[in-house]
């Protein structure tokens, strides 16, 4: 059985992960409005992954006899100064999420909650990947530039992203 504290903290993480999806959908809409469909595609793939993250916490609470409670979402920003500005905001957001995952891992240690600890190990590794993938886009924008053919090339490159599975093999909605 999951503890009340862990249940509350994971319910809050469902909110953070779902807000992440909402934020990246908003960034996708911004990129579409600028004619940057490749970057919009990258953000939609990212939003889909975030929904999968929320679902993992949802399933974990449920499988351990807890009660899921969905909290209200804030309205995400919808305008940025440039593609770099949007991806910088995405990086800052991922750093915030990394902090939240670390807080959950600390709580699992404090409560000697091994089941949560094992589940959170996946998220600790995932956050390394999440920050790295945004950093790679920022590197690409630095190299290609944010105008003319360079920006078009970066946009085409990001169009190649293949969305990952929402949940791992064997796990169902
Ligand atoms: Fe689910 Fe991008 O953190």
């Amino acid at each position: 059985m999951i503890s009340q504290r862990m249940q509350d903290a994971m319910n809050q993480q469902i909110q953070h992960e779902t807000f992440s999806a909402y934020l990246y959908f908003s960034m996708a809409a911004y990129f579409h409005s600028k004619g940057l469909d490749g970057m919009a595609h990258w953000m939609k793939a990212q939003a889909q992954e975030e929904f999968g993250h929320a679902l993992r916490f949802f399933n974990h609470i449920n499988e351990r006899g807890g009660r899921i409670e969905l909290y209200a979402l804030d309205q995400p920003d919808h305008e940025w100064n440039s593609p770099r500005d949007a991806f910088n905001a995405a990086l800052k957001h991922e750093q915030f999420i990394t902090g939240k995952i670390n807080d959950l891992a600390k709580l699992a240690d404090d409560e000697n909650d091994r089941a949560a600890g094992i589940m959170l190990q996946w998220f600790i590794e995932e956050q390394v990947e999440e920050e790295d993938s945004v950093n790679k886009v920022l590197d690409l924008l630095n190299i290609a530039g944010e105008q003319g053919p360079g920006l078009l090339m970066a946009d085409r490159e990001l169009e190649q992203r293949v969305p990952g599975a929402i949940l791992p093999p064997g796990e169902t909605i």
Side-chain angles (χ1 to χ4, degrees):
M1 181 93 189
I2 196 166
S3 74
Q4 186 69 46
R5 269 183 83 199
M6 184 60 80
Q7 175 181 299
D8 292 349
M10 285 197 175
N11 271 322
Q12 240 156 26
Q13 194 63 26
I14 291 175
Q15 181 192 38
H16 294 317
E17 300 290 352
T18 309
F19 177 79
S20 303
Y22 214 32
L23 175 64
Y24 297 142
F25 269 138
S26 186
M27 288 181 177
Y30 161 75
F31 285 126
H32 275 312
S33 78
K34 301 291 174 193
L36 295 165
D37 291 348
M39 292 185 187
H41 166 82
W42 194 98
M43 282 296 172
K44 283 191 269 190
Q46 188 62 30
Q48 182 177 303
E49 278 195 17
E50 299 300 351
F51 184 64
H53 295 171
L55 210 45
R56 280 177 183 242
F57 284 103
F58 183 107
N59 286 347
H60 185 83
I61 295 169
N62 186 48
E63 285 162 11
R64 297 186 64 201
R67 180 68 169 89
I68 295 133
E69 201 178 329
L70 299 181
Y71 303 138
L73 299 179
D74 289 335
Q75 181 176 3
D77 288 342
H78 64 278
E79 203 61 59
W80 289 270
N81 294 324
S82 64
R84 193 194 314 274
D85 187 37
F87 279 100
N88 270 328
L91 179 60
K92 207 169 146 209
H93 182 69
E94 286 304 325
Q95 289 164 342
F96 165 77
I97 295 292
T98 298
K100 292 294 171 191
I101 295 292
N102 289 341
D103 289 348
L104 280 169
K106 169 85 170 48
L107 180 59
D109 284 347
D110 291 348
E111 296 201 333
N112 197 25
D113 184 340
R114 303 295 178 92
I118 290 167
M119 183 259 193
L120 288 163
Q121 188 61 40
W122 182 89
F123 276 96
I124 290 166
E125 290 167 19
E126 175 71 1
Q127 280 312 117
V128 173
E129 234 179 74
E130 292 275 87
E131 289 190 29
D132 183 50
S133 68
V134 182
N135 266 319
K136 282 195 170 103
V137 175
L138 286 166
D139 287 346
L140 178 67
L141 290 174
N142 282 338
I143 294 164
E146 287 199 89
Q147 283 175 358
L151 181 59
L152 193 62
M153 190 210 76
D155 191 58
R156 294 267 158 82
E157 176 72 25
L158 296 185
E159 198 159 29
Q160 305 308 313
R161 178 173 179 175
V162 179
I166 289 185
L167 287 172
E171 199 169 325
T172 58
I173 287 179

